Amino acid sequence: MMQAWAVDRPGPIDSGPLRKVRRPVPEPGPGEVLVKVEACGICRTDLHLSEGDLPPKHPGVVPGHQAVGTVVDGGTADRFATGDRVGIAWLRGTCGVCEFCRAGSENLCPRSTYTGWDADGGFAEYAVVPQDYAYALPTDRPAEELAPFLCAGIIGYRSLLRANLPPGGRLGIYGFGSSAHLTAQLATAQGAELFVVTRGEKNRGLARELGAAYVGDRPPVPLDSAIVFAPAGDVVPHALEALKPGGTVAVAGIYLSDVPVLNYERHLFHERDLRSVTSNTRRDGEELFRLLARLPIAAHTTVVPFDAVDRALADVAHGRASGSLVAVLAG
């Protein structure tokens, strides 16, 4: 048997939608490996799932999709051996044959499945993952440092690609949580000038620490690109209005409240682009981990005990968290 956190009844996080449960250790199916979880990052998507913004795909699902652990049972899989360190990320499966998969856009696969939504995830002592959707991870960095990159990092990387930032350009970041602070480091490492709009003094302090040229409520100069990480649709018009002609806004979240009515001339004219970000491809993750091997990018983490996952999600909901929260399992 193992311990896990399951979504009992979706609702406001303060109402206790997550419940600590005991379940049998899962067995790997064909092509899957069983992983003993060392650490699992806590993502805003887990909050959306717990609160019902993303309706759970089945009752009692175990969230968590930024898990780092060790293979303890390879089953019939042949890509990993017992003892290998692997990462379990959000994207769990695609069909491989649809027009999107064949075109290299597997993130748009209509039959895609996701860790901690379609199948149980990493808020547990053990988890299974299809070998083709696991990432081989280095062993020279602590698990809690690697975990945030498995979703916050990968989605941030894809968002940066979608934002069409020119070399040395001005990038606006709206909201400065786990994904944003990793994306900021990626962008500045590649020469970008960073402008951050966020609430909360902790987040503002972290943005300054990471070298932002401006931290406040409204960028003082026109931006080449912007990424909206805040799950608030009313931020989108402000981000569009801050762009120079030909600029791009990428919306990074899986959930966004309604976007207000846009004024064509003020928000979209002069060939401003508004783009969404949908999940990621495995190639995005592989490219990110290659960059991590040579760029000075690190997650600013707050480690929480496994027993405090529910309280950590409440901290995310109420803006008390800064950087990345990671649950660490003992033993």
Side-chain angles (χ1 to χ4, degrees), residues 32-84:
E32 294 181 337
V33 295
L34 175 65
V35 177
K36 181 176 174 57
V37 177
E38 301 173 53
C40 189
I42 294 168
C43 179
R44 184 169 287 275
T45 301
D46 301 315
L47 176 65
H48 292 317
L49 183 71
S50 300
E51 295 197 317
D53 298 323
L54 297 178
K57 297 290 185 70
H58 63 82
V61 68
V62 175
H65 54 274
Q66 300 181 98
V68 176
T70 303
V71 174
V72 293
D73 185 348
T76 62
D78 56 10
R79 185 178 167 213
F80 297 105
T82 300
D84 286 349

Short mmCIF file of all heavy atoms in Angstrom, two decimals, residues 32-84:
data_model
loop_
_atom_site.label_atom_id
_atom_site.label_comp_id
_atom_site.label_asym_id
_atom_site.label_seq_id
_atom_site.Cartn_x
_atom_site.Cartn_y
_atom_site.Cartn_z
N GLU A 32 5.01 0.52 -19.68
CA GLU A 32 5.06 1.47 -18.57
C GLU A 32 6.15 1.08 -17.57
O GLU A 32 6.57 -0.09 -17.51
CB GLU A 32 3.72 1.54 -17.85
CG GLU A 32 2.58 2.09 -18.67
CD GLU A 32 1.29 2.16 -17.89
OE1 GLU A 32 1.13 1.40 -16.90
OE2 GLU A 32 0.41 2.95 -18.27
N VAL A 33 6.56 2.06 -16.77
CA VAL A 33 7.49 1.80 -15.68
C VAL A 33 6.87 2.30 -14.38
O VAL A 33 6.09 3.26 -14.38
CB VAL A 33 8.87 2.48 -15.90
CG1 VAL A 33 9.57 1.87 -17.11
CG2 VAL A 33 8.74 3.99 -16.07
N LEU A 34 7.21 1.64 -13.30
CA LEU A 34 6.78 2.06 -11.96
C LEU A 34 7.89 2.90 -11.34
O LEU A 34 9.05 2.49 -11.32
CB LEU A 34 6.49 0.85 -11.08
CG LEU A 34 6.13 1.14 -9.61
CD1 LEU A 34 4.83 1.92 -9.50
CD2 LEU A 34 6.05 -0.16 -8.81
N VAL A 35 7.51 4.07 -10.84
CA VAL A 35 8.48 5.03 -10.31
C VAL A 35 8.21 5.27 -8.83
O VAL A 35 7.06 5.54 -8.43
CB VAL A 35 8.39 6.36 -11.09
CG1 VAL A 35 9.34 7.40 -10.51
CG2 VAL A 35 8.68 6.14 -12.57
N LYS A 36 9.25 5.18 -8.03
CA LYS A 36 9.17 5.61 -6.63
C LYS A 36 9.43 7.10 -6.61
O LYS A 36 10.51 7.57 -6.98
CB LYS A 36 10.19 4.87 -5.77
CG LYS A 36 10.13 5.25 -4.29
CD LYS A 36 11.11 4.43 -3.46
CE LYS A 36 11.17 4.89 -2.01
NZ LYS A 36 9.85 4.87 -1.35
N VAL A 37 8.44 7.88 -6.21
CA VAL A 37 8.52 9.34 -6.31
C VAL A 37 9.40 9.91 -5.20
O VAL A 37 9.24 9.58 -4.02
CB VAL A 37 7.10 9.95 -6.24
CG1 VAL A 37 7.17 11.48 -6.27
CG2 VAL A 37 6.24 9.42 -7.38
N GLU A 38 10.34 10.76 -5.60
CA GLU A 38 11.19 11.49 -4.64
C GLU A 38 10.61 12.86 -4.32
O GLU A 38 10.64 13.31 -3.18
CB GLU A 38 12.60 11.67 -5.22
CG GLU A 38 13.34 10.40 -5.57
CD GLU A 38 14.64 10.71 -6.29
OE1 GLU A 38 15.45 11.51 -5.75
OE2 GLU A 38 14.84 10.20 -7.40
N ALA A 39 10.12 13.54 -5.35
CA ALA A 39 9.58 14.89 -5.18
C ALA A 39 8.59 15.16 -6.30
O ALA A 39 8.69 14.59 -7.40
CB ALA A 39 10.71 15.92 -5.22
N CYS A 40 7.63 16.04 -6.02
CA CYS A 40 6.65 16.42 -7.04
C CYS A 40 6.33 17.90 -6.90
O CYS A 40 5.95 18.36 -5.82
CB CYS A 40 5.37 15.59 -6.92
SG CYS A 40 4.22 15.82 -8.30
N GLY A 41 6.51 18.62 -7.97
CA GLY A 41 6.20 20.04 -7.97
C GLY A 41 4.70 20.29 -7.85
O GLY A 41 3.87 19.47 -8.28
N ILE A 42 4.35 21.41 -7.26
CA ILE A 42 2.96 21.79 -7.05
C ILE A 42 2.62 22.90 -8.03
O ILE A 42 3.23 23.97 -8.02
CB ILE A 42 2.75 22.23 -5.60
CG1 ILE A 42 2.97 21.03 -4.66
CG2 ILE A 42 1.36 22.84 -5.39
CD1 ILE A 42 3.07 21.37 -3.21
N CYS A 43 1.66 22.62 -8.90
CA CYS A 43 1.35 23.48 -10.04
C CYS A 43 -0.03 24.10 -9.89
O CYS A 43 -0.92 23.51 -9.27
CB CYS A 43 1.42 22.63 -11.32
SG CYS A 43 1.06 23.54 -12.84
N ARG A 44 -0.20 25.27 -10.48
CA ARG A 44 -1.53 25.89 -10.45
C ARG A 44 -2.57 25.01 -11.15
O ARG A 44 -3.75 25.05 -10.81
CB ARG A 44 -1.47 27.29 -11.11
CG ARG A 44 -2.78 28.05 -11.05
CD ARG A 44 -2.63 29.48 -11.46
NE ARG A 44 -1.94 30.27 -10.45
CZ ARG A 44 -2.54 30.84 -9.40
NH1 ARG A 44 -3.84 30.69 -9.21
NH2 ARG A 44 -1.84 31.55 -8.55
N THR A 45 -2.14 24.20 -12.11
CA THR A 45 -3.08 23.28 -12.75
C THR A 45 -3.65 22.29 -11.74
O THR A 45 -4.83 21.92 -11.82
CB THR A 45 -2.38 22.52 -13.89
OG1 THR A 45 -1.88 23.47 -14.85
CG2 THR A 45 -3.34 21.58 -14.60
N ASP A 46 -2.84 21.86 -10.77
CA ASP A 46 -3.35 21.00 -9.70
C ASP A 46 -4.43 21.71 -8.90
O ASP A 46 -5.40 21.09 -8.46
CB ASP A 46 -2.21 20.57 -8.77
CG ASP A 46 -1.10 19.83 -9.49
OD1 ASP A 46 -1.42 18.95 -10.30
OD2 ASP A 46 0.08 20.14 -9.25
N LEU A 47 -4.26 23.02 -8.73
CA LEU A 47 -5.27 23.81 -8.04
C LEU A 47 -6.56 23.88 -8.86
O LEU A 47 -7.66 23.69 -8.33
CB LEU A 47 -4.73 25.22 -7.77
CG LEU A 47 -5.70 26.21 -7.14
CD1 LEU A 47 -6.07 25.76 -5.73
CD2 LEU A 47 -5.07 27.61 -7.10
N HIS A 48 -6.42 24.13 -10.19
CA HIS A 48 -7.61 24.18 -11.04
C HIS A 48 -8.36 22.85 -11.01
O HIS A 48 -9.59 22.82 -11.03
CB HIS A 48 -7.21 24.52 -12.48
CG HIS A 48 -6.69 25.91 -12.66
ND1 HIS A 48 -7.27 27.00 -12.07
CD2 HIS A 48 -5.63 26.38 -13.38
CE1 HIS A 48 -6.60 28.10 -12.42
NE2 HIS A 48 -5.60 27.75 -13.20
N LEU A 49 -7.61 21.75 -10.99
CA LEU A 49 -8.24 20.43 -10.93
C LEU A 49 -8.96 20.22 -9.60
O LEU A 49 -10.10 19.73 -9.55
CB LEU A 49 -7.18 19.35 -11.14
CG LEU A 49 -7.67 17.90 -11.19
CD1 LEU A 49 -8.44 17.66 -12.48
CD2 LEU A 49 -6.50 16.94 -11.09
N SER A 50 -8.30 20.60 -8.51
CA SER A 50 -8.89 20.41 -7.18
C SER A 50 -10.14 21.26 -7.00
O SER A 50 -11.10 20.84 -6.34
CB SER A 50 -7.86 20.77 -6.10
OG SER A 50 -6.71 19.95 -6.19
N GLU A 51 -10.13 22.45 -7.58
CA GLU A 51 -11.27 23.36 -7.39
C GLU A 51 -12.37 23.16 -8.44
O GLU A 51 -13.43 23.77 -8.33
CB GLU A 51 -10.78 24.80 -7.40
CG GLU A 51 -9.86 25.12 -6.23
CD GLU A 51 -9.69 26.59 -5.97
OE1 GLU A 51 -9.54 27.35 -6.96
OE2 GLU A 51 -9.71 26.99 -4.80
N GLY A 52 -12.10 22.32 -9.46
CA GLY A 52 -13.14 22.03 -10.44
C GLY A 52 -13.12 22.90 -11.67
O GLY A 52 -13.99 22.75 -12.54
N ASP A 53 -12.17 23.85 -11.78
CA ASP A 53 -12.05 24.61 -13.03
C ASP A 53 -11.74 23.66 -14.18
O ASP A 53 -12.19 23.87 -15.31
CB ASP A 53 -10.93 25.66 -12.91
CG ASP A 53 -11.20 26.68 -11.83
OD1 ASP A 53 -12.38 27.06 -11.66
OD2 ASP A 53 -10.25 27.11 -11.15
N LEU A 54 -10.94 22.63 -13.89
CA LEU A 54 -10.75 21.50 -14.80
C LEU A 54 -11.47 20.31 -14.18
O LEU A 54 -11.01 19.77 -13.18
CB LEU A 54 -9.26 21.17 -14.96
CG LEU A 54 -8.35 22.23 -15.57
CD1 LEU A 54 -6.91 21.72 -15.58
CD2 LEU A 54 -8.80 22.58 -16.97
N PRO A 55 -12.59 19.90 -14.73
CA PRO A 55 -13.33 18.79 -14.12
C PRO A 55 -12.50 17.51 -14.16
O PRO A 55 -11.96 17.14 -15.20
CB PRO A 55 -14.57 18.67 -15.02
CG PRO A 55 -14.69 19.99 -15.71
CD PRO A 55 -13.30 20.48 -15.89
N PRO A 56 -12.35 16.82 -13.03
CA PRO A 56 -11.60 15.56 -13.02
C PRO A 56 -12.18 14.56 -14.01
O PRO A 56 -13.39 14.48 -14.19
CB PRO A 56 -11.75 15.08 -11.58
CG PRO A 56 -12.03 16.31 -10.79
CD PRO A 56 -12.83 17.20 -11.69
N LYS A 57 -11.29 13.80 -14.66
CA LYS A 57 -11.74 12.83 -15.66
C LYS A 57 -12.32 11.57 -15.01
O LYS A 57 -13.06 10.84 -15.65
CB LYS A 57 -10.58 12.46 -16.58
CG LYS A 57 -10.02 13.61 -17.41
CD LYS A 57 -10.99 14.05 -18.47
CE LYS A 57 -10.39 15.11 -19.38
NZ LYS A 57 -9.35 14.60 -20.26
N HIS A 58 -11.94 11.30 -13.75
CA HIS A 58 -12.54 10.18 -13.04
C HIS A 58 -12.48 10.46 -11.55
O HIS A 58 -11.64 11.24 -11.08
CB HIS A 58 -11.86 8.85 -13.39
CG HIS A 58 -10.41 8.77 -13.00
ND1 HIS A 58 -9.99 8.45 -11.73
CD2 HIS A 58 -9.29 8.95 -13.73
CE1 HIS A 58 -8.67 8.44 -11.69
NE2 HIS A 58 -8.22 8.75 -12.89
N PRO A 59 -13.38 9.87 -10.78
CA PRO A 59 -13.44 10.15 -9.34
C PRO A 59 -12.16 9.75 -8.63
O PRO A 59 -11.53 8.73 -8.94
CB PRO A 59 -14.62 9.29 -8.86
CG PRO A 59 -15.42 9.01 -10.08
CD PRO A 59 -14.46 8.94 -11.20
N GLY A 60 -11.75 10.57 -7.67
CA GLY A 60 -10.61 10.23 -6.83
C GLY A 60 -9.27 10.26 -7.54
O GLY A 60 -8.33 9.58 -7.12
N VAL A 61 -9.16 11.07 -8.59
CA VAL A 61 -7.88 11.14 -9.32
C VAL A 61 -6.80 11.73 -8.42
O VAL A 61 -7.05 12.61 -7.58
CB VAL A 61 -8.04 11.95 -10.61
CG1 VAL A 61 -8.30 13.43 -10.31
CG2 VAL A 61 -6.81 11.81 -11.51
N VAL A 62 -5.58 11.24 -8.58
CA VAL A 62 -4.41 11.75 -7.86
C VAL A 62 -3.73 12.79 -8.73
O VAL A 62 -3.24 12.45 -9.82
CB VAL A 62 -3.43 10.61 -7.52
CG1 VAL A 62 -2.16 11.17 -6.89
CG2 VAL A 62 -4.09 9.59 -6.60
N PRO A 63 -3.70 14.07 -8.33
CA PRO A 63 -3.02 15.08 -9.15
C PRO A 63 -1.50 14.95 -9.06
O PRO A 63 -0.96 14.02 -8.46
CB PRO A 63 -3.50 16.40 -8.52
CG PRO A 63 -4.62 16.05 -7.61
CD PRO A 63 -4.36 14.64 -7.16
N GLY A 64 -0.82 15.94 -9.64
CA GLY A 64 0.64 15.98 -9.60
C GLY A 64 1.25 15.52 -10.91
O GLY A 64 1.08 14.37 -11.31
N HIS A 65 1.97 16.42 -11.58
CA HIS A 65 2.53 16.08 -12.89
C HIS A 65 3.92 16.69 -13.07
O HIS A 65 4.33 16.99 -14.19
CB HIS A 65 1.59 16.55 -14.00
CG HIS A 65 1.23 18.01 -13.90
ND1 HIS A 65 0.18 18.45 -13.12
CD2 HIS A 65 1.78 19.11 -14.45
CE1 HIS A 65 0.11 19.76 -13.20
NE2 HIS A 65 1.08 20.20 -14.01
N GLN A 66 4.62 16.85 -11.97
CA GLN A 66 6.02 17.31 -12.02
C GLN A 66 6.82 16.42 -11.07
O GLN A 66 7.45 16.89 -10.14
CB GLN A 66 6.12 18.77 -11.58
CG GLN A 66 5.32 19.74 -12.44
CD GLN A 66 5.49 21.18 -12.00
OE1 GLN A 66 6.28 21.94 -12.55
NE2 GLN A 66 4.73 21.58 -10.98
N ALA A 67 6.79 15.13 -11.35
CA ALA A 67 7.35 14.15 -10.43
C ALA A 67 8.74 13.70 -10.87
O ALA A 67 8.98 13.42 -12.04
CB ALA A 67 6.43 12.94 -10.31
N VAL A 68 9.63 13.62 -9.90
CA VAL A 68 10.97 13.09 -10.11
C VAL A 68 11.10 11.85 -9.23
O VAL A 68 10.73 11.87 -8.06
CB VAL A 68 12.06 14.11 -9.72
CG1 VAL A 68 13.46 13.50 -9.85
CG2 VAL A 68 11.93 15.36 -10.58
N GLY A 69 11.62 10.77 -9.81
CA GLY A 69 11.76 9.56 -9.02
C GLY A 69 12.66 8.54 -9.67
O GLY A 69 13.33 8.82 -10.67
N THR A 70 12.66 7.35 -9.10
CA THR A 70 13.54 6.27 -9.54
C THR A 70 12.71 5.09 -10.01
O THR A 70 11.73 4.71 -9.35
CB THR A 70 14.44 5.82 -8.37
OG1 THR A 70 15.18 6.96 -7.89
CG2 THR A 70 15.42 4.75 -8.83
N VAL A 71 13.08 4.54 -11.13
CA VAL A 71 12.39 3.36 -11.66
C VAL A 71 12.65 2.18 -10.72
O VAL A 71 13.80 1.84 -10.44
CB VAL A 71 12.87 3.02 -13.08
CG1 VAL A 71 12.26 1.71 -13.56
CG2 VAL A 71 12.52 4.16 -14.05
N VAL A 72 11.57 1.57 -10.25
CA VAL A 72 11.71 0.39 -9.39
C VAL A 72 11.15 -0.87 -10.04
O VAL A 72 11.39 -1.97 -9.55
CB VAL A 72 11.04 0.62 -8.01
CG1 VAL A 72 11.77 1.69 -7.22
CG2 VAL A 72 9.56 0.99 -8.17
N ASP A 73 10.40 -0.72 -11.12
CA ASP A 73 9.89 -1.87 -11.85
C ASP A 73 9.72 -1.45 -13.31
O ASP A 73 8.90 -0.58 -13.62
CB ASP A 73 8.55 -2.33 -11.26
CG ASP A 73 8.03 -3.61 -11.91
OD1 ASP A 73 8.56 -4.04 -12.96
OD2 ASP A 73 7.06 -4.19 -11.36
N GLY A 74 10.52 -2.08 -14.18
CA GLY A 74 10.47 -1.73 -15.59
C GLY A 74 9.42 -2.47 -16.37
O GLY A 74 9.19 -2.15 -17.55
N GLY A 75 8.73 -3.42 -15.74
CA GLY A 75 7.69 -4.16 -16.45
C GLY A 75 8.21 -4.73 -17.76
O GLY A 75 9.29 -5.32 -17.82
N THR A 76 7.46 -4.50 -18.82
CA THR A 76 7.88 -4.96 -20.15
C THR A 76 8.62 -3.88 -20.93
O THR A 76 9.00 -4.09 -22.08
CB THR A 76 6.65 -5.40 -20.97
OG1 THR A 76 5.78 -4.26 -21.15
CG2 THR A 76 5.89 -6.50 -20.26
N ALA A 77 8.81 -2.70 -20.30
CA ALA A 77 9.48 -1.59 -20.99
C ALA A 77 10.97 -1.88 -21.15
O ALA A 77 11.56 -2.64 -20.38
CB ALA A 77 9.26 -0.30 -20.21
N ASP A 78 11.59 -1.25 -22.14
CA ASP A 78 13.01 -1.49 -22.38
C ASP A 78 13.83 -0.21 -22.49
O ASP A 78 15.03 -0.26 -22.71
CB ASP A 78 13.20 -2.31 -23.66
CG ASP A 78 12.55 -1.67 -24.89
OD1 ASP A 78 12.12 -0.49 -24.80
OD2 ASP A 78 12.47 -2.33 -25.93
N ARG A 79 13.18 0.94 -22.28
CA ARG A 79 13.91 2.20 -22.41
C ARG A 79 14.66 2.55 -21.14
O ARG A 79 15.73 3.18 -21.20
CB ARG A 79 12.92 3.32 -22.77
CG ARG A 79 13.60 4.66 -23.03
CD ARG A 79 12.61 5.73 -23.42
NE ARG A 79 13.24 7.04 -23.37
CZ ARG A 79 12.62 8.17 -23.06
NH1 ARG A 79 11.34 8.15 -22.76
NH2 ARG A 79 13.28 9.30 -23.02
N PHE A 80 14.13 2.16 -19.99
CA PHE A 80 14.75 2.47 -18.70
C PHE A 80 15.02 1.20 -17.93
O PHE A 80 14.30 0.20 -18.08
CB PHE A 80 13.85 3.39 -17.87
CG PHE A 80 13.60 4.74 -18.49
CD1 PHE A 80 12.38 5.03 -19.08
CD2 PHE A 80 14.59 5.71 -18.48
CE1 PHE A 80 12.15 6.28 -19.65
CE2 PHE A 80 14.37 6.95 -19.05
CZ PHE A 80 13.15 7.23 -19.63
N ALA A 81 16.04 1.26 -17.09
CA ALA A 81 16.39 0.13 -16.23
C ALA A 81 16.08 0.50 -14.78
O ALA A 81 15.97 1.68 -14.42
CB ALA A 81 17.87 -0.21 -16.38
N THR A 82 15.93 -0.53 -13.95
CA THR A 82 15.74 -0.30 -12.53
C THR A 82 16.87 0.56 -11.98
O THR A 82 18.04 0.31 -12.26
CB THR A 82 15.69 -1.64 -11.78
OG1 THR A 82 14.60 -2.41 -12.28
CG2 THR A 82 15.50 -1.42 -10.29
N GLY A 83 16.50 1.59 -11.23
CA GLY A 83 17.50 2.51 -10.67
C GLY A 83 17.68 3.78 -11.46
O GLY A 83 18.30 4.73 -10.96
N ASP A 84 17.15 3.85 -12.68
CA ASP A 84 17.27 5.07 -13.48
C ASP A 84 16.40 6.18 -12.88
O ASP A 84 15.29 5.92 -12.40
CB ASP A 84 16.83 4.83 -14.92
CG ASP A 84 17.84 4.04 -15.73
OD1 ASP A 84 18.97 3.86 -15.23
OD2 ASP A 84 17.50 3.61 -16.85
#
